[in-house]
């Protein structure tokens, strides 16, 4: 499964939003990867270093790719994080 999502948090995928994103990615029985929407390279969504290393900012689009039993639920949860203006506490 695959989705393209625009990053809404002002900090992009840095600091708190990235931490919440990685924590959520690890909660599902799915292999989730992400990358910039305009590039082919993907990194593991379960790695804080890989996610922050992408340097994705506010209003940029990312591609989420998930495989596994919980793929759709994982994509739903991760899309929610990326489309929420401020990371949930």
């Amino acid at each position: 499964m695959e989705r393209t999502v625009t990053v809404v948090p002002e900090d992009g995928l840095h600091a708190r939003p990235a931490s919440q994103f990685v924590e959520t990615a690890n909660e599902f029985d799915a292999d989730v990867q992400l990358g910039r929407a305009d590039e082919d390279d993907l990194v593991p969504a379960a790695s804080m270093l890989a996610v922050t290393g992408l340097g994705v900012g506010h209003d940029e689009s990312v591609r989420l790719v998930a495989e596994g039993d919980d793929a759709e639920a994982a994509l739903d949860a991760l899309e929610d994080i990326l489309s929420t203006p401020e990371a949930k506490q």
Side-chain angles (χ1 to χ4, degrees), residues 41-85:
D41 295 336
L42 297 173
V43 301
S47 167
M48 183 69 170
L49 185 60
V51 170
T52 56
L54 285 173
V56 175
H58 171 70
D59 263 352
E60 289 189 66
S61 293
V62 294
R63 185 166 53 113
L64 300 172
V65 179
E67 294 180 9
D69 292 342
D70 293 340
E72 187 170 9
L75 290 178
D76 288 344
L78 294 171
E79 182 176 0
D80 184 51
I81 290 168
L82 296 177
S83 61
T84 300

Side-chain angles (χ1 to χ4, degrees), residues 27-49:
E27 292 175 358
F28 294 93
D29 183 18
D31 177 30
V32 183
Q33 297 187 324
L34 83 152
R36 292 178 180 275
D38 58 355
E39 296 179 6
D40 291 333
D41 295 336
L42 297 173
V43 301
S47 167
M48 183 69 170
L49 185 60

Side-chain angles (χ1 to χ4, degrees), residues 2-45:
E2 184 173 324
R3 290 191 196 161
T4 300
V5 181
T6 300
V7 177
V8 174
E10 289 293 327
D11 290 335
L13 270 178
H14 301 281
R16 194 175 334 171
S19 176
Q20 185 180 17
F21 183 89
V22 170
E23 184 178 305
T24 301
N26 281 303
E27 292 175 358
F28 294 93
D29 183 18
D31 177 30
V32 183
Q33 297 187 324
L34 83 152
R36 292 178 180 275
D38 58 355
E39 296 179 6
D40 291 333
D41 295 336
L42 297 173
V43 301

